[in-house]
C-alpha cells in the first residue's frame, strides 16, 4: 500500500501524513486565536485550564486515531500460491475477492483507493 511507517513499523500513518500535521496546526491556531481573543480577558484560571486540557485531549486523540491500524489486510505476493476462488462458496460465507491485493476479504471490507489497501469494516477510513 501507500502507508507511511516509522519506528520500524510500530507506527503507521496513512498515505498523506502531511494532512495530519496541517490538521494539528489548525487546531493549535484555532485555540491560540480563541485564547487571545476571548480567554485572556476572562481572568479565570479554571476556564483557561479546562480549555487547555480540551485542546491537548483533542490533539492527542487526533494523533491516536491517525496512527492506529484501521484493520489493513496483508497483501499476497504475486509469486505465492494462487487463491482458489469459488464464487458460490465465497458468497455463502459473505466474502469477496480483491484482485488488487489478491486476497479473499470479508463482506464489509473494501479496497481504499487512497492508501491502496483492503481495510476491514471500511466506514470512513482515509478521507
Amino acid at each position: 500500500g501507500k502507508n507511511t511507517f516509522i519506528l520500524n513499523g510500530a507506527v503507521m500513518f496513512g498515505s498523506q501524513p502531511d494532512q495530519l500535521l496541517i490538521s494539528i496546526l489548525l487546531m493549535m491556531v484555532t485555540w491560540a486565536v480563541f485564547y487571545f481573543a476571548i480567554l485572556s480577558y476572562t481572568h479565570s484560571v479554571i476556564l483557561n485550564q479546562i480549555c487547555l486540557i480540551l485542546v491537548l485531549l483533542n490533539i492527542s486523540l487526533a494523533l491516536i486515531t491517525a496512527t492506529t491500524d484501521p484493520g489493513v489486510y496483508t497483501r499476497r505476493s504475486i509469486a505465492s500460491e494462487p487463491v482458489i476462488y469459488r464464487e458460490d462458496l465465497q458468497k455463502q460465507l459473505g466474502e469477496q475477492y480483491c484482485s488488487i491485493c489478491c486476497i479473499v476479504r470479508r463482506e464489509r471490507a473494501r479496497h481504499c483507493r487512497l492508501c491502496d489497501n483492503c481495510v476491514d469494516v471500511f466506514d470512513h477510513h482515509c478521507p
Side-chain angles (χ1 to χ4, degrees):
K2 298 177 185 173
N3 295 331
T4 304
F5 293 94
I6 61 172
L7 301 175
N8 292 327
V11 177
M12 179 181 85
F13 288 104
S15 60
Q16 301 163 335
D18 54 332
Q19 288 184 357
L20 173 65
L21 296 176
I22 291 171
S23 297
I24 290 174
L25 180 66
L26 286 173
M27 284 185 243
M28 293 171 66
V29 166
T30 304
W31 179 79
V33 168
F34 177 72
Y35 178 78
F36 288 114
I38 296 171
L39 284 183
S40 61
Y41 298 110
T42 61
H43 303 293
S44 172
V45 175
I46 288 243
L47 188 60
N48 287 344
Q49 291 175 347
I50 289 172
C51 289
L52 181 63
I53 289 170
L54 288 176
V55 166
L56 293 176
L57 181 67
N58 190 8
I59 292 171
S60 301
L61 291 175
L63 284 171
I64 290 170
T65 302
T67 58
T68 302
D69 182 9
V72 173
Y73 282 92
T74 305
R75 288 176 178 250
R76 294 175 58 94
S77 65
I78 298 197
S80 67
E81 61 191 52
V83 175
I84 300 171
Y85 180 64
R86 289 190 45 208
E87 193 170 328
D88 57 340
L89 180 61
Q90 300 302 327
K91 286 190 180 189
Q92 285 177 352
L93 295 174
E95 296 175 336
Q96 302 169 344
Y97 180 74
C98 178
S99 59
I100 298 170
C101 295
C102 300
I103 61 167
V104 176
R105 61 180 186 225
R106 295 189 337 181
E107 187 176 8
R108 286 194 60 197
R110 297 286 182 266
H111 191 86
C112 178
R113 62 181 170 81
L114 296 177
C115 72
D116 196 30
N117 287 314
C118 280
V119 178
D120 197 17
V121 190
F122 189 86
D123 290 337
H124 49 275
H125 159 63
C126 272

